[in-house]
Amino acid sequence: MQTARTALRGLPDAAVASLCDAFADEVSERLPRVLQAARTRDPDLLELALRDVHTLGSSAFVLGENEAGRVARALEALLLANTDLTQLDSLVATLDSELAGWRR
């Protein structure tokens, strides 16, 4: 939450709290799907995970969670390439770790 306050400086506390709540909901909904896609390597789930990591990355950058945003973008690029998924597990584990504090 402190990172969000820094990134969103100038916004009322209530607005920052609302954005943080929305992001926590997003992480709680989307991250488990990304984890499942990585575990199963199911092509349909990987397609859904592509959208999820794109959204998580955008939202993370807005809230000042820049490392999570960078990892999400790397995951997105990997999934878009749809060829060599050897880094998938490592990137997903890093994203999971970066967003752990946002899960409900």
Side-chain angles (χ1 to χ4, degrees):
M1 180 84 129
Q2 187 60 38
T3 303
R5 286 194 190 286
T6 302
L8 303 173
R9 190 171 310 154
L11 288 178
D13 287 345
V16 173
S18 180
L19 288 170
C20 288
D21 284 344
F23 185 57
D25 288 344
E26 211 169 73
V27 169
S28 297
E29 178 184 334
R30 293 177 184 277
L31 191 56
R33 288 195 302 244
V34 173
L35 294 169
Q36 183 181 13
R39 272 193 311 274
T40 65
R41 300 290 206 272
D42 179 281
D44 293 331
L45 294 179
L46 289 169
E47 188 176 322
L48 290 173
L50 175 60
R51 281 181 254 156
D52 288 331
V53 297
H54 176 83
T55 301
L56 288 170
S58 297
S59 297
F61 280 125
V62 166
L63 290 176
E65 293 289 343
N66 295 331
E67 186 58 26
R70 282 189 284 277
V71 173
R73 287 296 181 255
L75 256 170
E76 183 179 7
L78 181 73
L79 292 170
L80 279 170
N82 199 25
T83 53
D84 181 12
L85 297 179
T86 55
Q87 290 183 304
L88 181 66
D89 293 331
S90 173
L91 287 170
V92 169
T94 302
L95 185 64
D96 186 33
S97 175
E98 289 293 326
L99 295 176
W102 289 96
R103 275 204 217 173
R104 294 194 170 177

